[in-house]
């Protein structure tokens, strides 16, 4: 983060310069000190795949990956992303090739309205990277921060169970 804040456009408030790797691309951004990562993505960068549900760390709809670890973007200040690698749902696929977790969600019809789905998938990718879940009970427990108002939990569990070995094998994300 720059030591000397700059004046932010026509807002009159001081902004901070941050540099991050966003979905594999280096970005230099000016952010207000109170802007969350979620609002940075949705309002400033037009990356609306990451969803705002509760905006209070309760639902998991805003889950993204920071240096490979799943975090709630609504509880993360944008200035905290300086020097980090940020991956959102838009950055998981490799060109036209879906991430194994995305493909498994489609195969298992693991959604209804789809609003929670980007957060569910990012969280599941983070779960795979943690390597802690060894059975369905552990997957349920470790995914309990991601709520689904449509109750698609059974299919979500099936998708994650199927994709975890593929994620481990391929070294995703
Ligand atoms: Fe972030 Fe609900 S919007 S946890
Ligand atoms: Fe609708 Fe999960 S699919 S909230």
């Amino acid at each position: 983060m720059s030591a000397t804040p700059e004046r932010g456009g026509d807002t009159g408030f001081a902004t901070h310069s941050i540099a991050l790797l966003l979905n594999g691309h280096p970005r230099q951004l000016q952010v207000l000190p109170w802007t969350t990562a979620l609002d940075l993505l949705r309002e400033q960068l037009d990356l609306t795949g990451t969803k705002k549900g509760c905006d209070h760390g309760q639902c998991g709809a805003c889950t993204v990956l920071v240096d490979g670890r799943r975090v709630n973007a609504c509880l993360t200040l944008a200035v905290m992303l300086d020097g980090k690698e940020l991956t959102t749902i838009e950055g998981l696929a490799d060109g036209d090739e879906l991430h194994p977790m995305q493909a498994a969600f489609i195969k298992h019809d693991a959604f209804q309205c789809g609003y929670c789905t980007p957060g569910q998938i990012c969280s599941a990718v983070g779960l795979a990277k943690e390597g802690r879940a060894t059975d369905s009970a552990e997957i349920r427990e470790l995914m309990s921060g991601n709520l689904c108002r449509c109750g698609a939990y059974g299919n979500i569990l099936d998708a994650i169970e199927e994709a975890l070995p593929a994620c481990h094998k391929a070294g995703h994300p």
Side-chain angles (χ1 to χ4, degrees), residues 20-55:
L20 68 155
L21 204 58
L22 174 58
N23 292 332
H25 302 287
R27 299 291 301 264
Q28 186 95 32
L29 303 166
Q30 294 293 325
V31 297
L32 289 163
W34 53 82
T35 297
T36 65
L38 180 57
D39 286 341
L40 171 68
L41 288 168
R42 292 183 56 84
E43 309 298 334
Q44 205 167 320
L45 301 176
D46 212 20
L47 288 172
T48 54
T50 306
K51 300 299 186 230
K52 182 179 282 191
C54 64
D55 212 14

Side-chain angles (χ1 to χ4, degrees), residues 9 18 32 37 52 69 83 97 122 125 130 140 154 156 162:
I18 61 171
L32 289 163
K52 182 179 282 191
R69 296 183 60 187
E97 189 179 338
C122 284
V125 170
E130 291 160 18
R140 279 182 191 275
I156 291 171
E162 176 172 305

Side-chain angles (χ1 to χ4, degrees), residues 77-163:
L77 288 173
V79 291
M80 296 163 65
L81 299 173
D82 188 41
K84 306 284 188 186
E85 187 173 347
L86 174 61
T87 305
T88 69
I89 189 71
E90 291 92 345
L92 288 181
D94 183 7
D96 289 337
E97 189 179 338
L98 291 178
H99 188 285
M101 195 63 74
Q102 292 175 302
F105 266 65
I106 292 171
K107 177 182 172 186
H108 289 275
D109 202 17
F111 40 78
Q112 286 186 40
C113 76
Y115 198 80
C116 73
T117 311
Q120 298 279 1
I121 291 175
C122 284
S123 188
V125 170
L127 175 72
K129 200 172 177 68
E130 291 160 18
R132 292 191 290 150
T134 57
D135 58 27
S136 60
E138 287 180 348
I139 294 173
R140 279 182 191 275
E141 174 62 25
L142 293 168
M143 288 293 297
S144 61
N146 289 81
L147 306 184
C148 176
R149 293 288 297 268
C150 298
Y153 293 112
N155 296 30
I156 291 171
L157 181 64
D158 289 345
I160 296 174
E161 273 193 299
E162 176 172 305

